[in-house]
Amino acid sequence: MPPTPAWPLTATSAAASIFTEFVVKTHSLCNLACTYCYVYEMADQSWRDKPVHISAPTVRKVAERIAEHAATHRLPAIRVILHGGEPLLADADGIASIATRLRDHIEPSTELRLSVQTNGVLLTRTILDALAAHRIGVSVSIDGSQADHDRYRKYRNGRGSYHAVAAGIDLLRSAEYRFLYRGLISTVNLSNHPIRTYEALTEFAPPRMDFLLPHGNWSEPPPGRPDDATTPYADWLREVFDRWYGSDEPQPEIRLFTEIIHLLLGGAPAGEMIGLSAPTVVVVETDGTIEQVDALKSAYEGAAATGMDVWRHSFDQVADHPKFAERKLGVDGLSARCQRCKIVPVCGGGYYPHRYRKTEGFDNPSVYCADLEALIEYVRSRIVSDLSQVRSDA
Amino acid sequence: MTDRSARSDEYLVDVSESDLESLARDQNPVLLRAVERVFRETVDTRNVTTRFNSSI
């Protein structure tokens, strides 16, 4: 177990932390067995101790706590993402019940933007009708073409899930349900050709998509990410960027790239994956326990745990927990190496879970440091070049 | 990886409102949208709405 920061951090060193995104686990199990899953296949195995379903009283309490937090901070809007495991295992009636309770308690205080992050295999008409009735946006995980997707995203019997996912997405993007379609999320896999992956995803006409770096850290490196200055992930993403940025045809938004550009232009970070941002995301498990961002489960057993829960603690109290507090320090909370780096206004030190090493905890750059540097430098060079061109033409 | 000797906001790319017109003429939709977004954005951390604009 790595060292934990002393309690409490000084108020002068800690910026206010307001949660605006609440990940609520509706179901702790999953109907797929993806080989790289941080919930089931990595260091933390706490899912085994969680209730399978979130109960009605727990949903009610979660909703009360979120409403309390929104009212305290006068938030005009907050986001709740139904998650898991596979959240749609809660079935249509379960999803409807959860959504109703959340809206009843939260919407008097603030606008609720409700969505679900799903593996896509349960996107039937029955489920989509329930999602539509309760205005729940849908984002689907898919890793590219059938061959590439099925290599890692499989059922427990080893069969690939692509056909079911593709059918679900096709139904989602039909005229009847398209208003629910938020986008696609794909985990970068160096074995998959980047352009083939990108083209496979754009065939589903998503309004937006994102590419996630597979979870790993210095002690458990991501696949194909050696401890050296090579940049395999940047090289992969650069190919997609060139295709996307240079296209004459309208392309879906790719969040990773738009956020890098936004940060390069001096914009504020919109999430925790990149950029210097205080924690804005908090997770509630099926039993009401409150945790940090889920991807921390890739670091060590209990890495995401806070020991707090919705029954005994407000979200303001959670924000004061040392594990959240140490992430509110901005640049001062980063490693010495990051503090000296010119890229840090954009990368923000990289995604927090990716900084872990058994010996130093999270006081490191991201395990993807070389890739982030290369990718950000490349994107910067493109936009500087383009801006120079348009200015000289003006 | 090479350490940098100094971290600086000079690394960020300055844009001006005149860039908006130029980018619109140049038909660079990605960069145009990006510059528009930066100008729309408020610095106020309580203005959470703008943070959702590009989130899935």
Side-chain angles (χ1 to χ4, degrees):
Chain A
M1 184 77 70
T4 52
W7 174 287
L9 293 176
T10 60
T12 54
S13 66
S17 185
I18 302 172
F19 298 121
T20 56
E21 192 166 308
F22 302 83
V23 176
V24 177
K25 303 290 189 79
T26 66
H27 204 287
S28 63
L29 301 182
C30 188
N31 51 356
L32 293 185
C34 303
T35 59
Y36 55 73
C37 182
Y38 62 81
V39 176
Y40 306 106
E41 304 296 336
M42 300 189 82
D44 187 286
Q45 292 292 304
S46 60
W47 63 271
R48 298 177 188 276
D49 302 322
K50 302 297 182 193
V52 173
H53 298 275
I54 190 170
S55 70
T58 302
V59 174
R60 192 177 307 119
K61 194 61 187 176
V62 172
E64 288 173 3
R65 288 296 192 188
I66 293 174
E68 173 186 64
H69 190 72
T72 298
H73 299 284
R74 298 198 206 113
L75 301 179
I78 57 97
R79 185 187 303 278
V80 172
I81 301 169
L82 305 181
H83 211 280
E86 171 46 50
L88 298 183
L89 284 170
D91 79 28
D93 288 341
I95 293 291
S97 174
I98 290 167
T100 299
R101 283 195 172 83
L102 289 172
R103 290 201 185 280
D104 284 350
H105 283 86
I106 295 172
E107 285 184 326
S109 300
T110 187
E111 178 186 346
L112 170 57
R113 300 184 185 184
L114 194 49
S115 66
V116 63
Q117 178 62 49
T118 174
N119 62 30
V121 302
L122 294 174
L123 284 175
T124 62
R125 282 195 176 278
T126 302
I127 288 283
L128 283 166
D129 284 343
L131 297 173
H134 294 276
R135 296 174 284 133
I136 303 172
V138 182
S139 181
V140 183
S141 299
I142 180 170
D143 283 356
S145 68
Q146 178 179 354
D148 293 339
H149 175 96
D150 283 346
R151 190 175 299 123
Y152 301 106
R153 295 187 69 84
K154 307 181 185 195
Y155 293 99
R156 274 188 194 77
N157 62 9
R159 187 165 52 90
S161 63
Y162 182 86
H163 276 307
V165 177
I169 297 173
D170 281 339
L171 190 55
L172 173 64
R173 67 192 186 100
S174 66
E176 189 175 356
Y177 301 112
R178 188 173 179 90
F179 74 102
L180 299 174
Y181 190 14
R182 293 292 177 267
L184 303 177
I185 290 181
S186 182
T187 299
V188 176
N189 188 320
L190 299 179
S191 303
N192 301 341
H193 190 277
I195 301 303
R196 191 174 68 211
T197 298
Y198 180 60
E199 289 178 343
L201 298 178
T202 57
E203 281 188 13
F204 290 110
R208 59 188 67 81
M209 64 173 76
D210 203 3
F211 289 101
L212 303 184
L213 295 169
H215 295 310
N217 51 68
W218 294 99
S219 294
E220 296 285 342
R225 175 59 268 170
D227 188 2
D228 60 23
T230 58
T231 59
Y233 285 89
D235 297 343
W236 196 99
L237 288 164
R238 257 203 305 263
E239 286 201 51
V240 178
F241 180 86
D242 282 344
R243 175 64 172 268
W244 171 77
Y245 184 74
S247 177
D248 292 330
E249 300 294 320
Q251 301 292 304
E253 177 190 317
I254 298 181
R255 183 169 59 179
L256 174 61
F257 299 154
T258 57
E259 287 311 299
I260 288 174
I261 295 172
H262 183 63
L263 291 161
L264 281 166
L265 298 180
E272 297 188 10
M273 296 257 187
I274 197 159
L276 271 168
S277 169
T280 56
V281 180
V282 65
V283 176
V284 182
E285 289 281 352
T286 52
D287 59 356
T289 53
I290 300 170
E291 297 193 342
Q292 291 193 89
V293 65
D294 231 16
L296 278 166
K297 295 177 192 291
S298 61
Y300 60 89
E301 180 80 31
T306 62
M308 304 176 97
D309 59 73
V310 295
W311 309 104
R312 297 175 295 152
H313 305 100
S314 69
F315 284 114
D316 274 3
Q317 289 175 299
V318 173
D320 284 339
H321 188 284
K323 285 187 174 179
F324 280 106
E326 71 170 349
R327 294 168 53 204
K328 295 188 280 187
L329 300 177
V331 171
D332 292 339
L334 300 180
S335 69
R337 184 177 200 145
C338 290
Q339 290 184 31
R340 291 193 301 270
C341 181
K342 71 176 184 182
I343 306 284
V344 79
V346 181
C347 78
Y351 194 31
Y352 185 75
H354 298 166
R355 305 178 201 165
Y356 176 71
R357 192 196 303 263
K358 282 182 188 160
T359 45
E360 295 107 26
F362 295 93
D363 189 25
N364 306 293
S366 166
V367 68
Y368 288 106
C369 180
D371 297 290
L372 291 171
E373 180 178 357
L375 179 63
I376 291 168
E377 289 271 49
Y378 182 72
V379 172
R380 185 180 189 276
S381 71
R382 289 293 304 267
I383 66 174
V384 166
S385 173
D386 284 356
L387 282 169
S388 297
Q389 183 69 46
V390 298
R391 287 166 181 169
S392 67
D393 291 345
Chain B
M1 284 174 277
T2 54
D3 286 343
R4 303 292 187 233
S5 59
R7 172 183 59 81
S8 169
D9 287 347
E10 291 178 358
Y11 185 73
L12 303 182
V13 179
D14 285 333
V15 289
S16 65
E17 290 195 19
S18 62
D19 291 324
L20 288 170
E21 295 178 13
S22 304
L23 288 167
R25 276 198 304 273
D26 191 61
Q27 296 186 345
N28 187 326
V30 171
L31 200 44
L32 174 61
R33 278 198 301 274
V35 176
E36 286 174 336
R37 179 184 168 195
V38 166
F39 280 110
R40 268 199 323 268
E41 185 177 79
T42 62
V43 178
D44 186 348
T45 57
R46 290 169 61 81
N47 184 3
V48 297
T49 304
T50 57
R51 294 180 183 226
F52 297 139
N53 286 347
S54 63
S55 294
I56 290 176

